Structure formats: structure tokens, C-alpha cells
Amino acid sequence: MMNGDATFVAPATPFGHSGIAVVRINGPLACQILSILSKQKLADTRYAKLTSLYDDNGQLIDECVVTKFQSPASYTGDDLIEVSCHGSPVIVDKIIKTIIDNGARLAEPGEFTKRAFINGKIDLLQAEAVGALIKSKSEAAARINRQTLGGALSKDLNNINLDLISVVGKIEHAIDIIESEIEITFYREIILEIDKIIKNSQRILSTFKAGKMLNEGIRVVITGKPNVGKSTLINYLSGSEKAIVSNIPGTTRDIVESMITISGVPVRFVDTAGIHVTDDKIEKIGINKANYEINSADLVLYIYDDPKQLEFPKFDCPSIYIFNKIDLHKNIEDTDSIIHISAKSGLNVDFLLKKIKKTMSINPISTDTPHLISQHQYSAINKSLKSQEKAKQLLKFTSPELELVAFELRASINAIDVVLGKTSPDDILNNIFRTLCVGK
């Protein structure tokens, strides 16, 4: 069929058995193909209709609810149809296969959102927020991602760009004026306007750490010698028997994970094999995995249970040292640098969690404020800010080179345009959409 390559289909719900599954078909042939499968004309746009769908042999596939969204009033901006069928993988696969047999193709990851971006329905920030919202690990993360998807962060950045464009216009007008005729107050006023822009950029830039933390969470690795209570601690924190606990050294040989939320921030605790010298090949594999986890951790909890131990390993990331099994010892002196707990009873584990919050600067985060969430967003806004600051410094010279000031401010505008997707390199665009699921 003609234009078939422009029409694509994918499941919009996860694979598996469920009450309902949704299949999306997008593109110029969407309505035509669904008319063939249903053997009738589709209902009016945005009207959900109970519809029987048939395969190419005329056999009934399923009775579905079909909703048509006509271009440009759809998520993608193209003709888009959503088919709600019974949630059997067999039925979903049959519907998709029949749609493909009639001229469509299987969607690429994130292609529906990519079409929405290309058609101007959303900008790049909002496209990233789609993926972040789907992957949100906490209610707080979902709230900030919904805000970005709604355009709050895009509005803030567009306002900064409008302010920058206004300042550039004034400077370019001044370039055409004889330097001696430019009043000294002009430079002061321009500096004040750039100062305002700098403060707004700094405010947005300051949201990155919290936004990244809410979306990616914190990875906390629990390490120490065998049988010091690492698995007991992760079981207590998770409220379930995540890890096997025994008095036999080397019981934990693989990575065991449990996630809890602390002040809205997802914190993933990772239990690892006890670090010690061993000839056991399987244990060695577990120890190698433990070392790998330690090297990629955001925070390390080192647990020990020997009150005579005086030397402790150092780590390349923040760490907390924990003396466990205090219920088995007497006359243990408290110190500021070591947390004393009983992982078995939970004694002082609340103090440990407070220490984790303090160490990782987990503070109450305002979810009413848009947040940057990715490294490339942060890098672009930081680049924009640096150009603004350079422009301000250039204006402080006795005879400012206004052409250089205008150049820096245009560079600042271009950096923000990268975040919004107006001038983003192809590799950034492709990576963002590639991380989305196929049906999105």
C-alpha cells in the first residue's frame, strides 16, 4: 500500500494478561486499515464505538472499543486510532499482525511521541517528561514530571529567551549609534536586565540535583565482612525476607535489592556479598559483583560487628560506618562518626535513616516548581548561564564591545533552544526517543 511506511502500530500497554489492552495505530492509512478490519466506516472523531475486528480470512479477532482521533487534534498530530481490546497477548498480537498485513509497520521506540514533537504538539522538554513520567518511582517524581509535561518548565525557559532577545535588540540598536552618544545609564540598565535573567537561569539550574534525585533515586550499597548483618539490615528496611540470613559465612553471593522512599526520594538499598579472602569460585564472583556495586554507588553503608575493629576501608563516594549487633555488646561508646544499631530488632535504624538523609542532602522538595531532570538539560542551561555572565562582564569595561556582548547573548539563546528541541543535534533527539517504550 502507498504511504504504508508512514503508518505504524504498537501496543500501548505492557505485555501480559489484563482486563484491557490498548493498541495504537498512527498515520495516513490508520483509518483505512481499521475500516478494513471492522468491515465498516469508523465512528466520528473522539467517539468511542464498540467494534468487531476481523482478520484477513474473515475470522473474528475480538470485539473492541475503537476511538478515532483525527489530525491535527490527536496526541501525535497525525490521524491516530486507539483500539481497546481484551488483554490477552494472543489477541493483541493478532490485531497488530493483521494491521501490519494491511499496510502498516511496527512502531519504533518512542515514535508516537517523536511524531508529536515533529508536529509541534510538544517540545523536547515535554517529550523527555513523557518518558520520565512513565518511569517515575515516587509520587513526588510523578508530580514534577507532570508539570514539565504540562509545559511549566518550557514556559520559564521561553520567557528567559524572550528577555534575552529583548536585550539583544537593544544592544544591536545601540551598535548603530555613535559610541559617544550612548548614555552611561544605558549600560547600567542592560546590566540590570541581564542580572534578572541570570537569577532566573540560576533558579532553574538549582533544581537539577533534586530533579535528578527524584527521578533516578539514590543507590545505597551495603557492604562489610561476612555475617556482620548486611542481609538482616536490608530485610528490616524492606519489611520482608529479601535476603537469606544464616550464620554460615558467604550466604549472600549475589546482589539483593530493595527500594524505599525517603522524603519522596526513591532510595535503593543493595545487599552484597561479604568482602573477604576466599578460594570459593562462586563467592569470588559475588565479591567481584560487590566491588562493582561499591564503585558505582551514591552512598556506601559499611557494617561491622567487632568492637575491637579500628581500621575501616575508604570509599570514593559518601559513606556511613555502622556498628551492628549492639544488643550483644555492653559498654560500647557512642561516637559522632559511627552509627550503632541492631539490624535484627531495628534499634537505632531510624537514626541511620536520618543520617542517610543528612549525608545525601535529602530535604523536602517543592513539587510545585519545575525541575531539570537530565544531564544534557543541565549542561545546556549551565552553558546559557555562562554566556549571560560573560556578557555582563563585558559590559563592565570602560568601552564595552557591544558586538561581543550580543554574540554571548545569542549563544545563551541557542543553548536554551537546544533544551527546547529547536536546534538539538540528532544524537540527542534519537537518544531521548529511543529510551521511550514502543507504544509511546
Side-chain angles (χ1 to χ4, degrees), residues 327-364:
D327 49 326
L328 302 181
H329 301 280
K330 294 181 179 180
N331 302 321
I332 300 297
E333 294 184 5
D334 289 327
T335 67
D336 293 333
S337 59
I338 296 173
I339 303 288
H340 296 84
I341 71 167
S342 168
K344 186 174 182 179
S345 68
L347 182 64
N348 287 348
V349 171
D350 55 338
F351 291 110
L352 172 60
L353 294 176
K354 289 177 182 177
K355 181 72 172 179
I356 292 172
K357 286 180 64 174
K358 183 178 180 180
T359 303
M360 300 308 295
S361 301
I362 301 175
N363 300 309

Side-chain angles (χ1 to χ4, degrees), residues 36-37 39 53-61 94 98 102:
I36 293 172
L37 268 66
K39 299 183 178 182
L53 297 185
Y54 301 88
D55 64 17
D56 292 335
N57 296 319
Q59 296 294 314
L60 177 67
I61 302 173
K94 184 67 174 178
T98 307
N102 280 275

